[in-house]
Amino acid sequence: MLPDLLRLLEHLAVDPALPRGVRIRRWLLLAYLITPIDLVPDFIPIIG
């Protein structure tokens, strides 16, 4: 399922019909899903 999700997000990120802000957020989401390091570590209460 993850490869399909990544492929979908990649296609959405380059779709010229989407507004620029949406495409940027898609690229950020794609980068977050690919990186093995958490941006917010799990040891931080509530938000981790």
Side-chain angles (χ1 to χ4, degrees):
M1 184 170 165
L2 184 59
D4 292 335
L5 176 63
L6 293 176
R7 196 172 307 117
L8 172 66
L9 289 174
E10 180 184 1
H11 287 293
L12 287 174
V14 296
D15 185 7
L18 291 174
R20 185 177 188 172
V22 173
R23 285 187 283 152
I24 290 172
R25 285 188 296 246
R26 297 290 182 237
W27 275 115
L28 292 174
L29 178 60
L30 186 63
Y32 177 73
L33 290 175
I34 290 174
T35 57
I37 300 171
D38 284 339
L39 296 177
V40 179
D42 291 334
F43 62 84
I44 296 177
I46 300 172
I47 62 171

